[in-house]
Amino acid sequence: MKIYLIIITIFFILVVVFAGYSYWQYSKNIKQYQEISDQLDICLKEKSIIEAELSEVERQLNAISKTTAVLRESIESFIIPGDLKVLSIGSKESLEIEKRINEIEDKTDRILADDHWNDFKSSRLFNSFFSFLRDLINNLERISANKEPIK
């Protein structure tokens, strides 16, 4: 009987140790699950905020593309004699435009805009100015349509 009591005691101790270990693992897993659940909630909130911001940006790009289309059509509607010139170009304004041209991110667009602006400054012809505007509009349309990434 003593042997049975020792075996039952050892078995009981093993059962208690196993139950304690299982409870410890379970509570540890519950904490990890809660932490992951909290992180998931934060991520979902951030995702909804970002999606709202993205839809606002898409709305603004759509509005820009509509305005760009109007600007393109209005520039294309002019018929100007080839010899019509501007009397003068303000030096302060010209420097500001050159500064803004250098801020254009796309290298090709920056070079084209700079060339057309310099051509307009040297000739002062309206046709050169409208070429400058057309290139800027093409740049805006490409950016708003996401056809080419900014370099």
Side-chain angles (χ1 to χ4, degrees):
M1 178 101 154
K2 214 174 180 182
I3 293 180
Y4 290 126
L5 188 60
I6 293 173
I7 291 175
I8 291 174
T9 306
I10 292 174
F11 182 73
F12 180 72
I13 291 173
L14 287 176
V15 167
V16 169
V17 168
F18 179 74
Y21 178 76
S22 297
Y23 178 76
W24 176 69
Q25 286 292 334
Y26 174 75
S27 65
K28 187 170 123 179
N29 289 340
I30 290 294
K31 288 179 186 177
Q32 288 176 344
Y33 174 76
Q34 186 62 36
E35 289 173 2
I36 292 172
S37 177
D38 293 344
Q39 290 176 354
L40 180 63
D41 290 341
I42 291 169
C43 288
L44 289 174
K45 287 176 186 175
E46 289 177 358
K47 179 186 174 205
S48 66
I49 291 169
I50 290 171
E51 285 176 342
E53 290 174 354
L54 179 62
S55 67
E56 177 63 20
V57 168
E58 287 174 345
R59 187 193 64 75
Q60 291 173 352
L61 279 174
N62 189 28
I64 288 171
S65 67
K66 289 177 182 177
T67 304
T68 304
V70 170
L71 185 59
R72 172 179 287 291
E73 292 301 320
S74 66
I75 288 174
E76 296 294 331
S77 68
F78 288 103
I79 300 174
I80 298 174
D83 60 347
L84 192 59
K85 288 187 172 188
V86 174
L87 291 178
S88 68
I89 301 169
S91 60
K92 182 180 176 185
E93 291 82 3
S94 178
L95 289 174
E96 186 64 28
I97 290 171
E98 290 171 1
K99 177 184 163 192
R100 300 290 182 193
I101 288 172
N102 287 327
E103 293 174 356
I104 295 174
E105 293 185 21
D106 187 283
K107 182 180 177 183
T108 306
D109 289 331
R110 185 173 52 244
I111 291 170
L112 283 173
D114 191 45
D115 289 345
H116 283 120
W117 178 249
N118 289 330
D119 184 38
F120 171 65
K121 276 184 10 183
S122 64
S123 69
R124 291 183 291 150
L125 293 172
F126 272 107
N127 285 333
S128 298
F129 182 68
F130 284 125
S131 293
F132 171 71
L133 291 178
R134 281 186 203 101
D135 283 340
L136 292 177
I137 290 171
N138 288 338
N139 182 17
L140 287 172
E141 286 178 336
R142 189 175 53 255
I143 289 170
S144 66
N146 290 326
K147 291 181 180 175
E148 182 180 309
I150 296 175
K151 297 175 185 170

